[in-house]
């Protein structure tokens, strides 16, 4: 870089990263040093996706931008750095004209105020959609019971061929009732009963029940940090979260099965900024990693919204429930997905260390 270039680079008021063709960080400007809380020298050579975590899968778009040497703009994503609270940002990515494969990556944090109001409205929109659905669910269930009963009565006087039709009515109504019950369950979710929990106990329970049921064709690998301290959470709700994630991974893998890795680790510096300006430390990390096809690109940025599903017969409530539970825990969930590698990452607060009683310490 020439002196002139250097001055421009250094005065650029937004975090900027220069990436080599292998997505490694070649250089960062002073604004990015502040943003990532590191120095250009010590971060050089590291994979960018390990330092900059983004809550929506953009590897595909990013690779396309590199291949076609065209710029890419991504608005409204949450960018975490592992060091600090994820921030709401817009991204600008551009190929470097004189160095093929090199990309310039600009991260512009949006105003915090904007983020908060937006988050709030998303939440209440989801809430009213769910409230409405709950009411409907309740109203529809009663007549459905009548329809099932009537079809069963009718079927008694019918021959085998016609009975197929009444059986169909019964089976389909049952399916709808089940769906409605899921909607109701969503509305019934109470606030978590927070207490110290051993995450690995929860994960073991989830793993065992997955292997006995929906995950029978999956291989589930435990990759645990045995020294992980207790989290603060509601074990039953966290079990629900993990089950939903495992189930999605198993369903995405399909009949042939696949591998899920459950990875836990401690990340001391992970903090979440709260609406009131305070920070919350979320050092306990749980990753559910699968080698399935990855998120369907058309819904990838909405998967946490209720009623968004990429599956036939999916209600789209699984991840909405997951995200509600995690947010009630004041935790954080993010996803990174490319075909063959999908990572759901949950970050949770740590339980305050129990004070040792005299007996224990002696
Ligand atoms: N591990 C994954 N791999 C690929 N796609 C996934 C994965 N997890 C979720 N998805 C996609 O996200 C969509 C939304 O998931 P979500 O759990 O919210 O709903 P669902 O599984 O469709 O229905 P439900 O969980 O209510 O039965 C899924 O339909 C699927 O397309
Ligand atoms: Mg699901």
């Amino acid at each position: 870089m020439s002196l002139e270039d250097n001055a421009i680079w250094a005065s650029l008021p937004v975090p900027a990263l220069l990436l080599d063709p292998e997505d490694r960080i070649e250089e960062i400007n002073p604004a990015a040093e502040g943003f990532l809380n590191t120095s250009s020298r010590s971060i050089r050579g590291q994979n960018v996706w390990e330092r900059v975590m983004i809550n929506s899968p953009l590897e595909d778009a990013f690779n396309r931008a590199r291949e076609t040497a065209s710029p890419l703009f991504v608005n409204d994503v949450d960018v975490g750095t592992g060091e600090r609270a994820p921030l709401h940002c817009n991204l600008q990515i551009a190929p470097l004209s004189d160095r093929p494969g090199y990309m310039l990556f600009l991260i512009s944090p949006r105003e915090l105020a904007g983020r908060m109001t937006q988050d709030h409205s998303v939440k209440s929109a989801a809430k009213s959609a769910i409230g409405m659905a709950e009411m409907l669910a309740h109203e529809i269930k009663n007549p459905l019971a009548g329809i099932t009963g009537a079809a069963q009565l009718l079927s008694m006087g019918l021959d085998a061929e016609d009975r197929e039709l009444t059986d169909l009515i019964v089976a389909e109504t049952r399916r709808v009732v089940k769906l409605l019950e899921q909607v109701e369950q969503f509305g019934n979710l109470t606030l978590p009963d927070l207490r110290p929990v051993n995450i690995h106990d929860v994960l073991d329970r989830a793993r065992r029940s997955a292997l006995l049921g929906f995950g029978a064709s999956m291989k589930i690998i435990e990759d645990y940090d045995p020294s992980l301290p207790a989290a603060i959470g509601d074990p039953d709700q966290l079990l629900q979260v993990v089950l939903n994630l495992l189930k999605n991974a198993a369903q995405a893998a399909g009949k042939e099965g696949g591998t899920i890795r459950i990875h836990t680790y401690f990340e001391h510096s992970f903090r979440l900024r709260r609406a009131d300006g305070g920070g919350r430390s979320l050092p306990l990390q749980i990753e559910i990693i699968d080698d399935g096809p990855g998120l369907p690109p058309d819904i990838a940025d909405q998967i946490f919204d209720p009623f968004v599903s990429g599956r036939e017969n999916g209600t789209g409530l699984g991840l909405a429930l997951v995200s509600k539970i995690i947010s009630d825990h004041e935790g954080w969930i993010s996803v990174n997905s490319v075909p063959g590698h999908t990572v759901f990452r949950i970050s949770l607060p740590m339980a305050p260390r129990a004070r040792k009683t005299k007996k224990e310490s002696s």
Side-chain angles (χ1 to χ4, degrees):
M1 256 189 226
S2 72
L3 203 67
E4 238 174 333
D5 287 343
N6 257 337
I8 295 173
W9 182 245
S11 12
L12 211 58
V14 295
L17 295 82
L18 180 61
L19 309 180
D20 77 5
E22 252 72 60
D23 286 353
R24 284 181 303 240
I25 297 171
E26 167 109 31
E27 194 155 357
I28 62 179
N29 75 343
E33 290 187 334
F35 184 78
L36 295 169
N37 192 20
T38 184
S39 72
S40 182
R41 193 182 333 159
S42 63
I43 203 173
R44 181 165 303 146
Q46 293 190 30
N47 183 290
V48 64
W49 307 117
E50 264 156 36
R51 295 306 303 251
V52 180
M53 283 146 264
I54 295 168
N55 72 336
S56 82
L58 58 93
E59 257 96 332
D60 273 356
F62 185 81
N63 289 336
R64 232 180 358 259
R66 177 180 276 135
E67 273 160 31
T68 57
S70 50
L72 170 71
F73 299 89
V74 187
N75 287 340
D76 289 334
V77 290
D78 286 317
V79 179
T81 63
E83 300 273 347
R84 59 146 88 209
L87 285 179
H88 212 47
C89 298
N90 293 341
L91 309 177
Q92 285 119 26
I93 297 162
L96 222 61
S97 55
D98 57 345
R99 293 168 80 180
Y102 280 75
M103 304 290 277
L104 190 60
F105 188 170
L106 303 182
I107 303 170
S108 328
R110 293 159 56 99
E111 276 173 22
L112 205 62
R115 164 178 174 72
M116 276 169 352
T117 47
Q118 194 192 357
D119 250 3
H120 181 73
S121 61
V122 169
K123 250 195 196 145
S124 50
K127 231 187 227 159
S128 59
I130 290 159
M132 182 76 195
E134 237 189 299
M135 213 172 68
L136 273 176
H138 189 76
E139 288 304 313
I140 297 171
K141 259 172 67 185
N142 284 333
L144 279 179
I147 293 173
T148 318
Q152 277 167 335
L153 278 179
L154 266 180
S155 71
M156 287 181 200
L158 297 178
D159 56 35
E161 205 177 314
D162 287 338
R163 209 175 301 140
E164 258 180 43
L165 298 177
T166 51
D167 285 352
L168 183 78
I169 296 176
V170 172
E172 286 297 290
T173 13
R174 289 230 167 97
R175 193 171 69 80
V176 178
V177 169
K178 234 170 95 189
L179 189 152
L180 295 175
E181 277 166 356
Q182 259 170 295
V183 173
E184 282 183 326
Q185 184 207 344
F186 198 105
N188 284 340
L189 193 70
T190 50
L191 282 178
D193 177 12
L194 297 175
R195 59 200 126 116
V197 268
N198 180 337
I199 289 293
H200 295 146
D201 286 347
V202 172
L203 295 175
D204 279 338
R205 268 163 72 198
R207 179 173 166 273
R208 264 182 284 136
S209 98
L211 287 173
L212 288 174
F214 59 81
S217 60
M218 303 297 288
K219 191 169 167 209
I220 306 182
I221 300 172
E222 297 163 301
D223 179 4
Y224 296 167
D225 170 359
S227 68
L228 206 68
I232 182 103
D234 180 324
D236 293 327
Q237 292 196 3
L238 291 176
L239 178 69
Q240 184 72 55
V241 163
V242 180
L243 282 173
N244 285 6
L245 294 177
L246 292 177
K247 195 170 191 174
N248 281 346
Q251 284 165 339
K255 280 204 195 68
E256 312 87 73
T259 305
I260 299 173
R261 188 157 68 93
I262 307 179
H263 181 205
T264 63
Y265 59 103
F266 193 80
E267 192 172 310
H268 175 70
S269 53
F270 194 101
R271 297 187 75 80
L272 185 70
R273 192 186 304 228
R274 268 193 317 213
D276 62 9
R280 182 155 172 87
S281 166
L282 303 174
L284 305 185
Q285 316 298 326
I286 308 161
E287 289 180 338
I288 312 281
I289 306 162
D290 73 70
D291 58 358
L295 299 176
D298 52 330
I299 57 163
D301 52 356
Q302 301 149 33
I303 52 167
F304 291 107
D305 294 345
F307 310 116
V308 171
S309 173
R311 295 191 296 115
E312 209 177 318
N313 293 330
T315 44
L317 283 177
L319 288 177
L321 191 70
V322 163
S323 111
K324 173 161 192 321
I325 292 176
I326 296 301
S327 111
D328 285 347
H329 278 73
E330 293 191 52
W332 175 259
I333 181 159
S334 64
V335 61
N336 239 308
S337 174
V338 288
H341 193 75
T342 297
V343 184
F344 280 87
R345 169 174 167 171
I346 297 167
S347 309
L348 288 176
M350 187 170 87
R353 276 188 216 284
R355 249 184 296 152
K356 280 189 184 164
T357 62
K358 264 203 185 120
K359 227 182 190 168
E360 276 169 347
S361 54
S362 65

